Amino acid sequence: PSPRSCQPHGASEEALRYEIEELRQKDLALDQEIAQLLSEGYSLEELEKHISLLHEYNDIKDAGQMLLGKLAVIRGVTTKQLYPEYDLELSD
């Protein structure tokens, strides 16, 4: 059983209310951030394109990290040791 299922009914309701309020606050903060970006001249289409490109970048980066990890295992070295060989910065 999960920790929440062991809590009294009122405690889990309170936890859910707190979680809902946190999500409402996050939603409000995101709405404010979007409004700020729109006021700076960005369009929703442009923001959606940037988000899409960031997802694509992250997918490609994850695939590269996976390949570096496999290569490191094959060579018996750490991934960090492969970075200079491929002109990568540790912050990449």
Side-chain angles (χ1 to χ4, degrees):
S2 72
R4 286 192 177 177
S5 65
C6 298
Q7 295 176 346
H9 181 67
S12 65
E13 271 189 41
E14 184 178 326
L16 286 174
R17 283 193 180 104
Y18 179 78
E19 199 171 325
I20 289 169
E21 185 56 33
E22 278 187 325
L23 290 172
R24 284 185 179 140
Q25 292 299 321
K26 285 180 184 179
D27 185 47
L28 179 61
L30 288 172
D31 285 344
Q32 290 171 344
E33 190 174 339
I34 289 169
Q36 174 68 34
L37 290 168
L38 292 174
S39 74
E40 292 174 6
Y42 292 97
S43 69
L44 285 177
E45 294 80 20
E46 186 178 9
L47 294 173
E48 288 172 2
K49 179 66 174 172
H50 282 284
I51 290 169
S52 175
L53 289 171
L54 283 172
H55 284 297
E56 185 177 348
Y57 167 81
N58 285 329
D59 289 344
I60 292 168
K61 184 177 177 182
D62 290 345
Q65 289 293 324
M66 183 186 66
L67 290 173
L68 275 176
K70 289 182 182 279
L71 183 59
V73 169
I74 290 168
R75 291 189 181 177
V77 298
T78 66
T79 304
K80 182 178 176 180
Q81 290 171 310
L82 293 176
Y83 273 57
E85 184 177 337
Y86 296 98
D87 295 322
L88 297 172
E89 300 291 327
L90 289 177
S91 61
D92 286 345

